Coordinates of all heavy atoms in Angstrom, one line a residue:
M408 N 10.2 -4.2 3.5 CA 9.0 -4.4 2.6 C 8.7 -3.0 2.0 O 8.6 -2.0 2.6 CB 7.8 -4.9 3.4 CG 6.5 -4.8 2.7 SD 5.0 -5.4 3.5 CE 5.3 -5.3 5.2
T409 N 8.5 -3.0 0.7 CA 8.2 -1.8 -0.1 C 6.7 -1.8 -0.4 O 6.2 -2.7 -1.0 CB 9.0 -1.7 -1.4 OG1 10.4 -1.8 -1.1 CG2 8.7 -0.4 -2.1
V410 N 6.1 -0.7 0.1 CA 4.6 -0.5 -0.2 C 4.5 0.8 -0.9 O 5.0 1.8 -0.4 CB 3.8 -0.5 1.1 CG1 2.3 -0.2 0.8 CG2 3.9 -1.9 1.8
T411 N 3.8 0.8 -2.0 CA 3.6 2.1 -2.7 C 2.1 2.3 -2.8 O 1.3 1.4 -3.2 CB 4.2 2.0 -4.1 OG1 5.6 1.7 -4.0 CG2 4.1 3.4 -4.8
V412 N 1.7 3.6 -2.5 CA 0.3 4.0 -2.6 C 0.2 5.0 -3.7 O 0.8 6.1 -3.6 CB -0.2 4.5 -1.3 CG1 -1.7 4.9 -1.4 CG2 0.0 3.5 -0.1
F413 N -0.5 4.7 -4.8 CA -0.7 5.7 -5.9 C -2.0 6.4 -5.6 O -3.1 5.8 -5.4 CB -0.8 4.9 -7.2 CG 0.5 4.2 -7.5 CD1 0.7 2.9 -7.1 CD2 1.5 4.8 -8.2 CE1 1.9 2.2 -7.4 CE2 2.7 4.2 -8.5 CZ 2.8 2.9 -8.1
T414 N -1.9 7.7 -5.5 CA -3.1 8.5 -5.0 C -3.4 9.6 -6.0 O -2.7 9.8 -7.0 CB -2.7 9.2 -3.7 OG1 -1.7 10.2 -3.9 CG2 -2.3 8.2 -2.6
K415 N -4.5 10.3 -5.7 CA -4.8 11.6 -6.4 C -5.3 12.6 -5.4 O -5.7 12.2 -4.3 CB -5.9 11.3 -7.5 CG -7.2 10.8 -7.0 CD -8.2 10.5 -8.1 CE -9.5 10.1 -7.5 NZ -10.5 10.0 -8.5
P416 N -5.3 13.8 -5.7 CA -5.7 14.9 -4.8 C -7.2 14.8 -4.4 O -8.0 14.3 -5.2 CB -5.5 16.2 -5.5 CG -4.5 15.8 -6.6 CD -4.8 14.4 -7.0
R417 N -7.6 15.2 -3.2 CA -8.9 15.3 -2.8 C -9.6 13.9 -2.9 O -10.8 13.8 -3.4 CB -9.7 16.3 -3.5 CG -9.2 17.7 -3.2 CD -9.9 18.8 -4.1 NE -9.7 18.7 -5.5 CZ -8.6 19.0 -6.2 NH1 -7.5 19.4 -5.5 NH2 -8.5 18.8 -7.5
C418 N -8.9 12.9 -2.5 CA -9.4 11.5 -2.5 C -9.6 10.9 -1.1 O -8.6 10.6 -0.5 CB -8.4 10.7 -3.3 SG -8.7 8.9 -3.3
P419 N -10.8 10.9 -0.6 CA -11.0 10.4 0.8 C -10.5 9.0 1.0 O -10.0 8.6 2.0 CB -12.5 10.4 1.0 CG -13.0 11.4 -0.1 CD -12.1 11.3 -1.2
Q420 N -10.7 8.1 0.0 CA -10.2 6.7 0.1 C -8.7 6.7 0.2 O -8.1 5.8 0.9 CB -10.7 5.9 -1.1 CG -12.2 5.7 -1.1 CD -12.9 6.9 -1.9 OE1 -12.2 7.8 -2.3 NE2 -14.2 6.8 -2.0
C421 N -8.0 7.6 -0.6 CA -6.6 7.6 -0.5 C -6.1 8.0 0.9 O -5.2 7.4 1.4 CB -6.0 8.6 -1.5 SG -6.5 8.2 -3.3
E422 N -6.7 9.1 1.4 CA -6.4 9.5 2.8 C -6.6 8.5 3.8 O -5.8 8.3 4.7 CB -7.1 10.8 3.1 CG -6.7 12.0 2.2 CD -5.3 12.3 2.2 OE1 -4.6 12.3 3.3 OE2 -4.7 12.5 1.1
A423 N -7.8 7.8 3.7 CA -8.1 6.7 4.7 C -7.0 5.6 4.6 O -6.6 5.1 5.6 CB -9.5 6.2 4.4
T424 N -6.6 5.2 3.4 CA -5.6 4.2 3.2 C -4.3 4.6 3.8 O -3.7 3.8 4.6 CB -5.4 3.9 1.7 OG1 -6.7 3.3 1.2 CG2 -4.3 2.9 1.5
K425 N -3.9 5.8 3.6 CA -2.6 6.3 4.2 C -2.7 6.4 5.7 O -1.7 6.0 6.4 CB -2.2 7.7 3.6 CG -1.9 7.6 2.1 CD -1.3 8.9 1.5 CE -2.4 9.9 1.5 NZ -1.8 11.2 0.8
R426 N -3.8 6.8 6.2 CA -4.0 6.9 7.7 C -3.9 5.5 8.3 O -3.2 5.2 9.3 CB -5.4 7.5 8.0 CG -5.3 8.8 8.6 CD -6.6 9.3 9.2 NE -7.8 8.8 8.5 CZ -8.4 9.4 7.5 NH1 -7.9 10.5 6.9 NH2 -9.5 8.9 7.0
Q427 N -4.6 4.5 7.7 CA -4.6 3.1 8.2 C -3.2 2.5 8.1 O -2.8 1.8 9.0 CB -5.6 2.3 7.4 CG -6.0 1.0 8.0 CD -6.9 1.2 9.2 OE1 -7.6 2.2 9.3 NE2 -7.0 0.2 10.1
L428 N -2.5 2.7 7.0 CA -1.1 2.2 6.9 C -0.2 2.8 8.0 O 0.6 2.1 8.6 CB -0.5 2.5 5.5 CG -1.1 1.7 4.4 CD1 -0.7 2.2 3.0 CD2 -0.7 0.2 4.5
T429 N -0.4 4.1 8.2 CA 0.4 4.8 9.3 C 0.1 4.2 10.6 O 1.0 3.9 11.4 CB 0.2 6.3 9.2 OG1 0.5 6.8 7.9 CG2 0.9 7.0 10.3
R430 N -1.2 4.0 10.9 CA -1.6 3.4 12.2 C -1.0 2.0 12.4 O -0.7 1.6 13.5 CB -3.1 3.4 12.3 CG -3.8 4.7 12.6 CD -5.2 4.5 12.9 NE -5.9 5.8 12.9 CZ -7.0 6.1 12.4 NH1 -7.7 5.2 11.8 NH2 -7.5 7.3 12.4
A431 N -0.9 1.3 11.3 CA -0.4 -0.1 11.4 C 1.1 -0.1 11.4 O 1.7 -1.2 11.3 CB -0.9 -0.9 10.2
N432 N 1.8 1.1 11.4 CA 3.2 1.2 11.3 C 3.8 0.5 10.1 O 4.9 -0.1 10.2 CB 3.9 0.6 12.6 CG 3.5 1.4 13.8 OD1 3.6 2.6 13.8 ND2 3.2 0.7 14.9
I433 N 3.1 0.7 9.0 CA 3.6 0.2 7.7 C 4.2 1.3 6.9 O 3.5 2.3 6.6 CB 2.5 -0.5 6.9 CG1 2.0 -1.7 7.7 CG2 3.0 -0.9 5.5 CD1 0.8 -2.4 7.1
A434 N 5.5 1.3 6.6 CA 6.1 2.4 5.9 C 5.6 2.3 4.4 O 5.5 1.2 3.9 CB 7.6 2.2 5.9
F435 N 5.4 3.4 3.8 CA 5.0 3.4 2.4 C 5.4 4.7 1.7 O 5.8 5.7 2.3 CB 3.4 3.3 2.3 CG 2.7 4.4 3.0 CD1 2.3 5.5 2.3 CD2 2.4 4.4 4.3 CE1 1.6 6.6 2.9 CE2 1.7 5.4 5.0 CZ 1.3 6.5 4.2
E436 N 5.5 4.5 0.4 CA 5.8 5.7 -0.5 C 4.5 6.1 -1.2 O 3.7 5.2 -1.5 CB 6.8 5.3 -1.5 CG 8.2 4.9 -1.0 CD 9.1 4.4 -2.0 OE1 8.8 4.6 -3.2 OE2 10.1 3.8 -1.7
T437 N 4.4 7.4 -1.4 CA 3.2 7.9 -2.1 C 3.5 8.4 -3.5 O 4.5 9.2 -3.6 CB 2.5 9.0 -1.3 OG1 2.2 8.5 0.0 CG2 1.2 9.5 -1.9
V438 N 2.8 8.1 -4.5 CA 2.9 8.6 -5.8 C 1.6 9.3 -6.2 O 0.6 8.7 -6.2 CB 3.3 7.5 -6.8 CG1 3.4 8.1 -8.2 CG2 4.6 6.8 -6.4
D439 N 1.7 10.6 -6.5 CA 0.5 11.4 -7.0 C 0.4 11.1 -8.5 O 1.2 11.5 -9.3 CB 0.8 12.9 -6.7 CG -0.4 13.7 -7.1 OD1 -1.3 13.3 -7.9 OD2 -0.5 14.8 -6.5
L440 N -0.8 10.5 -8.8 CA -1.0 10.1 -10.2 C -1.2 11.3 -11.1 O -1.0 11.2 -12.3 CB -2.2 9.2 -10.3 CG -1.9 7.8 -9.7 CD1 -3.2 7.0 -9.6 CD2 -0.8 7.1 -10.5
T441 N -1.6 12.5 -10.6 CA -1.8 13.7 -11.4 C -0.4 14.2 -11.8 O -0.4 14.9 -12.8 CB -2.6 14.8 -10.7 OG1 -1.9 15.2 -9.5 CG2 -4.0 14.3 -10.3
E442 N 0.6 13.9 -11.1 CA 2.0 14.3 -11.5 C 2.7 13.3 -12.3 O 3.8 13.5 -12.7 CB 2.7 14.7 -10.2 CG 2.2 15.8 -9.5 CD 2.9 16.1 -8.2 OE1 3.9 15.4 -7.9 OE2 2.4 17.0 -7.4
N443 N 2.1 12.1 -12.5 CA 2.7 11.0 -13.2 C 1.7 10.3 -14.2 O 1.3 9.2 -13.9 CB 3.2 9.9 -12.2 CG 4.3 10.5 -11.2 OD1 5.4 10.6 -11.6 ND2 3.8 10.9 -10.0
P444 N 1.4 11.0 -15.3 CA 0.4 10.5 -16.2 C 0.8 9.2 -16.8 O -0.1 8.3 -17.1 CB 0.3 11.6 -17.2 CG 1.3 12.6 -17.0 CD 1.9 12.3 -15.6
S445 N 2.1 8.9 -17.0 CA 2.5 7.6 -17.6 C 2.2 6.5 -16.6 O 1.8 5.4 -17.0 CB 3.9 7.6 -18.0 OG 4.8 7.8 -16.9
T446 N 2.4 6.7 -15.3 CA 2.1 5.7 -14.3 C 0.6 5.5 -14.3 O 0.1 4.3 -14.2 CB 2.6 6.2 -12.9 OG1 4.0 6.4 -13.0 CG2 2.3 5.1 -11.9
L447 N -0.2 6.5 -14.4 CA -1.7 6.4 -14.4 C -2.1 5.5 -15.6 O -2.9 4.6 -15.4 CB -2.3 7.8 -14.5 CG -3.8 7.8 -14.6 CD1 -4.5 7.0 -13.5 CD2 -4.4 9.2 -14.8
E448 N -1.5 5.8 -16.7 CA -1.8 5.0 -17.9 C -1.5 3.5 -17.7 O -2.2 2.6 -18.0 CB -1.1 5.5 -19.1 CG -1.4 4.8 -20.4 CD -0.7 5.5 -21.6 OE1 -0.5 6.7 -21.6 OE2 -0.4 4.7 -22.5
Q449 N -0.3 3.2 -17.1 CA 0.1 1.8 -16.8 C -0.9 1.2 -15.9 O -1.2 0.0 -16.1 CB 1.5 1.8 -16.2 CG 2.6 2.1 -17.2 CD 4.0 2.2 -16.6 OE1 4.1 2.4 -15.4 NE2 5.0 1.9 -17.3
L450 N -1.3 1.9 -14.8 CA -2.2 1.3 -13.9 C -3.6 1.0 -14.5 O -4.2 0.0 -14.2 CB -2.3 2.2 -12.6 CG -1.1 2.3 -11.7 CD1 -1.3 3.3 -10.7 CD2 -0.8 0.9 -11.1
T451 N -4.0 1.9 -15.3 CA -5.3 1.8 -16.1 C -5.2 0.6 -17.0 O -6.1 -0.2 -17.0 CB -5.6 3.0 -16.8 OG1 -5.7 4.1 -15.9 CG2 -6.9 2.9 -17.6
Q452 N -4.1 0.4 -17.7 CA -3.9 -0.8 -18.5 C -3.9 -2.1 -17.7 O -4.2 -3.1 -18.3 CB -2.6 -0.6 -19.4 CG -2.7 0.4 -20.5 CD -1.4 0.6 -21.2 OE1 -0.4 0.1 -20.9 NE2 -1.5 1.5 -22.2
A453 N -3.5 -2.0 -16.5 CA -3.4 -3.2 -15.6 C -4.8 -3.4 -14.9 O -4.9 -4.2 -14.0 CB -2.3 -3.0 -14.6
S454 N -5.8 -2.7 -15.4 CA -7.2 -2.9 -14.9 C -7.5 -2.3 -13.6 O -8.5 -2.6 -13.0 CB -7.6 -4.3 -15.0 OG -7.5 -4.8 -16.3
F455 N -6.7 -1.4 -13.1 CA -7.0 -0.7 -11.9 C -7.9 0.5 -12.3 O -7.5 1.3 -13.1 CB -5.7 -0.2 -11.1 CG -4.9 -1.3 -10.5 CD1 -3.7 -1.6 -11.1 CD2 -5.4 -2.0 -9.4 CE1 -3.0 -2.7 -10.6 CE2 -4.6 -3.0 -8.9 CZ -3.4 -3.3 -9.4
R456 N -9.0 0.6 -11.6 CA -10.0 1.7 -12.0 C -10.3 2.7 -11.0 O -11.1 3.6 -11.3 CB -11.3 1.0 -12.4 CG -11.2 0.0 -13.6 CD -10.9 0.8 -14.9 NE -10.8 -0.2 -16.0 CZ -9.7 -0.3 -16.7 NH1 -8.6 0.4 -16.5 NH2 -9.7 -1.2 -17.7
Q457 N -9.8 2.6 -9.8 CA -10.0 3.6 -8.8 C -8.8 3.8 -7.9 O -7.9 2.9 -7.8 CB -11.2 3.2 -7.9 CG -11.0 2.0 -7.0 CD -12.3 1.7 -6.2 OE1 -13.4 2.0 -6.6 NE2 -12.1 1.2 -5.0
A458 N -8.7 5.0 -7.3 CA -7.7 5.3 -6.4 C -8.1 5.0 -5.0 O -9.3 5.1 -4.7 CB -7.2 6.7 -6.6
P459 N -7.2 4.7 -4.1 CA -5.8 4.5 -4.4 C -5.5 3.2 -4.9 O -6.3 2.3 -4.8 CB -5.2 4.6 -3.0 CG -6.3 4.1 -2.1 CD -7.6 4.5 -2.7
V460 N -4.3 3.0 -5.5 CA -3.8 1.7 -5.9 C -2.7 1.4 -5.0 O -1.8 2.3 -4.8 CB -3.4 1.7 -7.4 CG1 -2.7 0.4 -7.7 CG2 -4.5 2.0 -8.3
V461 N -2.7 0.3 -4.3 CA -1.7 -0.1 -3.4 C -0.9 -1.3 -3.9 O -1.5 -2.3 -4.3 CB -2.3 -0.4 -2.0 CG1 -1.2 -0.9 -1.0 CG2 -3.1 0.7 -1.4
I462 N 0.4 -1.2 -4.0 CA 1.2 -2.3 -4.5 C 2.2 -2.7 -3.4 O 2.9 -1.8 -2.8 CB 2.1 -1.8 -5.7 CG1 1.2 -1.2 -6.8 CG2 2.9 -2.9 -6.3 CD1 0.3 -2.1 -7.6
T463 N 2.2 -4.0 -3.0 CA 3.1 -4.5 -2.0 C 3.9 -5.6 -2.7 O 3.6 -6.0 -3.8 CB 2.3 -5.1 -0.8 OG1 1.7 -6.3 -1.2 CG2 1.2 -4.2 -0.4
P464 N 4.9 -6.2 -2.0 CA 5.6 -7.3 -2.6 C 4.8 -8.5 -3.0 O 5.1 -9.2 -3.9 CB 6.7 -7.6 -1.5 CG 6.8 -6.4 -0.7 CD 5.5 -5.8 -0.7
D465 N 3.7 -8.7 -2.3 CA 2.9 -9.9 -2.5 C 1.5 -9.7 -3.0 O 0.8 -10.6 -3.3 CB 2.8 -10.7 -1.2 CG 4.2 -11.1 -0.7 OD1 5.0 -11.5 -1.5 OD2 4.4 -11.0 0.5
A466 N 1.1 -8.4 -3.1 CA -0.3 -8.2 -3.5 C -0.5 -6.8 -4.1 O 0.4 -5.9 -4.0 CB -1.2 -8.3 -2.2
S467 N -1.6 -6.6 -4.7 CA -2.0 -5.2 -5.1 C -3.5 -5.1 -5.1 O -4.2 -6.1 -5.3 CB -1.4 -5.0 -6.5 OG -1.9 -5.9 -7.4
W468 N -4.0 -3.9 -4.9 CA -5.4 -3.7 -4.9 C -5.7 -2.2 -5.1 O -4.8 -1.4 -5.1 CB -6.1 -4.2 -3.6 CG -5.7 -3.4 -2.4 CD1 -6.3 -2.2 -1.9 CD2 -4.7 -3.6 -1.4 NE1 -5.7 -1.7 -0.8 CE2 -4.7 -2.6 -0.4 CE3 -3.7 -4.7 -1.3 CZ2 -3.8 -2.6 0.6 CZ3 -2.8 -4.6 -0.2 CH2 -2.9 -3.6 0.7
S469 N -7.0 -1.9 -5.4 CA -7.4 -0.5 -5.5 C -8.6 -0.3 -4.6 O -9.3 -1.2 -4.2 CB -7.8 -0.2 -7.0 OG -8.9 -1.0 -7.4
G470 N -8.7 1.0 -4.2 CA -9.7 1.4 -3.3 C -9.2 1.3 -1.8 O -8.2 0.8 -1.5
Y471 N -10.1 1.7 -0.9 CA -9.8 1.6 0.5 C -10.2 0.2 1.0 O -11.3 -0.2 0.9 CB -10.6 2.7 1.3 CG -10.4 2.6 2.8 CD1 -9.1 2.6 3.4 CD2 -11.5 2.5 3.6 CE1 -9.0 2.5 4.7 CE2 -11.4 2.4 5.0 CZ -10.1 2.4 5.5 OH -9.9 2.3 6.9
R472 N -9.2 -0.5 1.4 CA -9.4 -1.9 1.8 C -8.8 -2.2 3.2 O -7.7 -2.7 3.3 CB -8.7 -2.9 0.8 CG -9.3 -2.8 -0.6 CD -10.7 -3.4 -0.7 NE -10.8 -4.7 -0.1 CZ -10.7 -5.9 -0.7 NH1 -10.4 -5.9 -2.0 NH2 -10.7 -7.0 -0.1
P473 N -9.5 -1.8 4.2 CA -8.9 -2.0 5.6 C -8.6 -3.5 5.9 O -7.7 -3.8 6.6 CB -10.0 -1.5 6.5 CG -11.2 -1.3 5.7 CD -10.8 -1.2 4.3
D474 N -9.4 -4.4 5.3 CA -9.2 -5.8 5.5 C -7.8 -6.3 4.9 O -7.0 -7.0 5.6 CB -10.3 -6.7 4.8 CG -10.4 -6.4 3.3 OD1 -10.3 -5.2 2.9 OD2 -10.7 -7.4 2.6
L475 N -7.4 -5.7 3.8 CA -6.1 -6.1 3.2 C -5.0 -5.4 3.9 O -3.9 -5.9 4.0 CB -6.1 -5.8 1.7 CG -7.1 -6.6 0.9 CD1 -7.1 -6.2 -0.6 CD2 -6.8 -8.1 1.0
I476 N -5.2 -4.2 4.4 CA -4.2 -3.5 5.2 C -4.0 -4.3 6.5 O -2.8 -4.4 6.9 CB -4.6 -2.0 5.5 CG1 -4.7 -1.2 4.2 CG2 -3.7 -1.4 6.5 CD1 -5.3 0.1 4.3
K477 N -5.0 -4.8 7.1 CA -4.8 -5.6 8.3 C -4.0 -6.8 8.0 O -3.1 -7.2 8.8 CB -6.2 -6.0 8.9 CG -6.2 -6.6 10.2 CD -7.6 -6.9 10.7 CE -7.5 -7.5 12.1 NZ -8.9 -7.7 12.6
Q478 N -4.3 -7.5 6.9 CA -3.5 -8.7 6.5 C -2.1 -8.3 6.3 O -1.2 -9.0 6.7 CB -4.1 -9.3 5.2 CG -5.3 -10.1 5.3 CD -5.7 -10.7 4.0 OE1 -5.1 -10.4 2.9 NE2 -6.7 -11.5 4.0
L479 N -1.8 -7.2 5.6 CA -0.5 -6.7 5.4 C 0.3 -6.5 6.7 O 1.4 -6.9 6.9 CB -0.5 -5.5 4.5 CG 0.8 -4.8 4.1 CD1 1.6 -5.8 3.2 CD2 0.6 -3.5 3.4
A480 N -0.4 -5.8 7.6 CA 0.2 -5.6 8.9 C 0.5 -6.9 9.7 O 1.6 -7.0 10.3 CB -0.8 -4.7 9.8
S481 N -0.4 -7.8 9.6 CA -0.2 -9.1 10.2 C 1.0 -9.9 9.6 O 1.8 -10.4 10.3 CB -1.4 -10.0 10.1 OG -2.5 -9.5 10.8
S482 N 1.1 -9.8 8.3 CA 2.3 -10.5 7.7 C 3.6 -9.7 8.0 O 4.6 -10.4 8.1 CB 2.1 -10.6 6.2 OG 2.1 -9.4 5.5
A483 N 3.5 -8.4 8.1 CA 4.7 -7.7 8.4 C 5.2 -8.0 9.8 O 6.4 -8.2 10.1 CB 4.5 -6.2 8.3
V484 N 4.3 -8.2 10.8 CA 4.6 -8.6 12.2 C 5.2 -10.0 12.2 O 6.2 -10.2 12.8 CB 3.4 -8.5 13.1 CG1 3.6 -9.1 14.4 CG2 3.0 -7.0 13.3
A485 N 4.6 -10.9 11.4 CA 5.1 -12.3 11.4 C 6.5 -12.3 10.7 O 7.4 -13.0 11.2 CB 4.2 -13.1 10.6
T486 N 6.7 -11.5 9.7 CA 8.0 -11.5 9.1 C 9.1 -10.9 10.0 O 10.2 -11.4 10.1 CB 8.0 -10.6 7.8 OG1 7.0 -11.2 6.9 CG2 9.3 -10.6 7.1
S487 N 8.7 -9.9 10.7 CA 9.6 -9.3 11.7 C 9.9 -10.3 12.8 O 11.1 -10.4 13.2 CB 9.0 -8.0 12.3 OG 9.8 -7.5 13.3
A488 N 9.0 -11.0 13.3 CA 9.2 -12.0 14.4 C 10.1 -13.1 13.9 O 11.0 -13.6 14.6 CB 7.9 -12.6 14.8
D489 N 9.9 -13.6 12.6 CA 10.8 -14.6 12.0 C 12.2 -14.1 11.9 O 13.2 -14.8 12.2 CB 10.3 -15.0 10.6 CG 9.0 -15.8 10.7 OD1 8.7 -16.3 11.8 OD2 8.4 -16.0 9.6
A490 N 12.4 -12.8 11.5 CA 13.7 -12.3 11.4 C 14.4 -12.2 12.8 O 15.6 -12.5 12.9 CB 13.7 -10.9 10.8
K491 N 13.7 -11.8 13.8 CA 14.2 -11.7 15.2 C 14.6 -13.1 15.7 O 15.6 -13.3 16.3 CB 13.3 -11.1 16.1 CG 13.1 -9.6 15.9 CD 12.2 -9.0 16.8 CE 12.0 -7.5 16.5 NZ 11.0 -6.8 17.3
T492 N 13.8 -14.1 15.4 CA 14.1 -15.5 15.8 C 15.4 -16.0 15.1 O 16.2 -16.6 15.7 CB 12.9 -16.4 15.4 OG1 11.7 -16.0 16.1 CG2 13.2 -17.9 15.8
Q493 N 15.5 -15.7 13.8 CA 16.7 -16.1 13.1 C 17.9 -15.4 13.7 O 19.0 -16.0 13.8 CB 16.6 -15.8 11.6 CG 15.7 -16.7 10.9 CD 15.5 -16.4 9.4 OE1 15.8 -15.3 9.0 NE2 15.1 -17.4 8.6
Q494 N 17.8 -14.1 14.0 CA 19.0 -13.4 14.6 C 19.4 -14.1 15.9 O 20.5 -14.2 16.2 CB 18.6 -12.0 14.8 CG 18.6 -11.2 13.5 CD 18.1 -9.7 13.8 OE1 17.6 -9.4 14.8 NE2 18.2 -8.9 12.7
T495 N 18.4 -14.5 16.7 CA 18.6 -15.1 18.0 C 19.3 -16.4 17.8 O 20.3 -16.7 18.6 CB 17.3 -15.3 18.8 OG1 16.7 -14.0 19.0 CG2 17.6 -15.8 20.2
V496 N 18.9 -17.2 16.9 CA 19.5 -18.5 16.6 C 20.9 -18.3 16.2 O 21.8 -19.1 16.6 CB 18.6 -19.3 15.6 CG1 19.4 -20.5 15.1 CG2 17.3 -19.6 16.2
L497 N 21.2 -17.4 15.3 CA 22.5 -17.2 14.8 C 23.5 -16.6 15.8 O 24.7 -16.8 15.7 CB 22.5 -16.2 13.5 CG 21.7 -16.8 12.3 CD1 21.6 -15.7 11.3 CD2 22.4 -18.0 11.8
A498 N 22.9 -15.9 16.8 CA 23.8 -15.3 17.8 C 24.2 -16.4 18.8 O 25.1 -16.8 19.2 CB 23.0 -14.2 18.6

């Protein structure tokens, strides 16, 4: 699963989001929007108005959203369990 967190410097919500993702053992990539103005423009055109912006395979949101991070962690665990079950069946 690819998760990207678009951040900016000195952003408490960005830091909280990254901490929560790390605690949930969710791997993520970070993109600093101050170093990527074209990406910032694209996100703004897509109606994202605050940092961080989190993009996952199935969802996207802006701001610190522990509820959505928890959902993401739950779905990652379920997906991992399904994959292990399939490996066991195939073995």
Side-chain angles (χ1 to χ4, degrees):
M408 166 177 25
T409 302
V410 176
T411 305
V412 182
F413 297 91
T414 66
K415 62 181 187 173
R417 297 174 298 283
C418 169
Q420 296 87 357
C421 301
E422 294 305 317
T424 296
K425 293 188 291 184
R426 252 191 328 273
Q427 195 74 21
L428 288 168
T429 300
R430 284 186 191 140
N432 292 318
I433 298 171
F435 61 94
E436 297 176 11
T437 303
V438 176
D439 184 340
L440 292 171
T441 62
E442 297 175 5
N443 298 280
S445 63
T446 302
L447 174 59
E448 186 177 327
Q449 289 175 334
L450 291 172
T451 301
Q452 289 175 354
S454 298
F455 291 108
R456 299 289 182 244
Q457 68 180 29
V460 174
V461 180
I462 308 289
T463 74
D465 300 318
S467 59
W468 68 85
S469 63
Y471 176 55
R472 296 291 309 269
D474 57 323
L475 296 177
I476 294 170
K477 187 175 180 179
Q478 281 181 356
L479 182 62
S481 294
S482 70
V484 168
T486 301
S487 177
D489 288 345
K491 287 180 182 176
T492 301
Q493 286 179 338
Q494 288 175 349
T495 303
V496 170
L497 294 175

